[in-house]
Amino acid sequence: KAGQLNRTKIAEGGRKLRKSWGVSWVVLARNSLVFYKEPKGPAPATWCPASSRPESSVDLRGAALDWARHLSSKKNVIHLRTVTGNEFLLQSDHEATIQEWARAIREVIHRLDLE
Ligand code: I3S
């Protein structure tokens, strides 16, 4: 699964960070969520995430996902916490989009729990 989402990192190793929302191209891989920086301005027709270097990736093993009702004034926000104490908010203006992401990420976390 892949697509564009708004995202911000809110904690690193358990330490709170200042929010800074940005747009990322997000790819759900086997064990992780990988973030790619979107090109600034209109994307060249040749741009694709596979040809660019990931900005960062999040190990989903042991991670926890919740709705982020009290962590943002935005709608449709999910809150992802890793075992290492990194925390992210992911948001889409389309409720169905974020619900699909939540379901897909939970499936990966659950599968990794069973391994
Ligand atoms: O949880 P906060 O601190 O109210 O989050 C808002 C701020 O981080 C704000 O940045 P500055 O403090 O640099 O102005 C962001 O621009 C907002 O988007 C953050 O709130 P939301 O509710 O949009 O997540």
Side-chain angles (χ1 to χ4, degrees):
K1 182 170 176 60
Q4 201 186 56
L5 290 177
N6 298 315
R7 68 131 191 165
T8 180
K9 192 173 190 177
I10 57 165
E12 163 105 39
R15 274 190 47 231
K16 287 269 175 270
L17 296 175
R18 184 164 176 184
K19 262 187 204 166
S20 170
W21 286 98
V23 180
S24 287
W25 184 264
V26 185
V27 176
L28 183 59
R30 221 190 100 72
N31 303 330
S32 61
L33 203 58
V34 188
F35 299 118
Y36 295 86
K37 216 180 215 96
E38 293 250 280
K40 287 222 164 34
T46 52
W47 185 83
C48 73
S51 67
S52 64
R53 207 160 48 85
E55 201 180 347
S56 62
S57 87
V58 178
D59 185 0
L60 292 175
R61 195 175 294 273
L65 188 77
D66 291 296
W67 291 96
R69 290 194 182 87
H70 307 294
L71 295 172
S72 176
S73 61
K74 298 182 198 303
K75 288 201 300 184
N76 312 324
V77 185
I78 54 177
H79 176 211
L80 181 65
R81 277 171 297 146
T82 69
V83 281
T84 55
N86 293 343
E87 298 181 41
F88 300 85
L89 300 181
L90 301 172
Q91 192 266 348
S92 167
D93 291 335
H94 304 280
E95 190 182 348
T97 301
I98 205 70
Q99 275 173 354
E100 282 168 28
W101 275 100
R103 192 176 329 118
I105 294 169
R106 282 210 178 96
E107 269 173 30
V108 172
I109 293 172
H110 184 61
R111 177 175 49 71
L112 293 170
D113 280 346
L114 298 175
E115 275 179 14

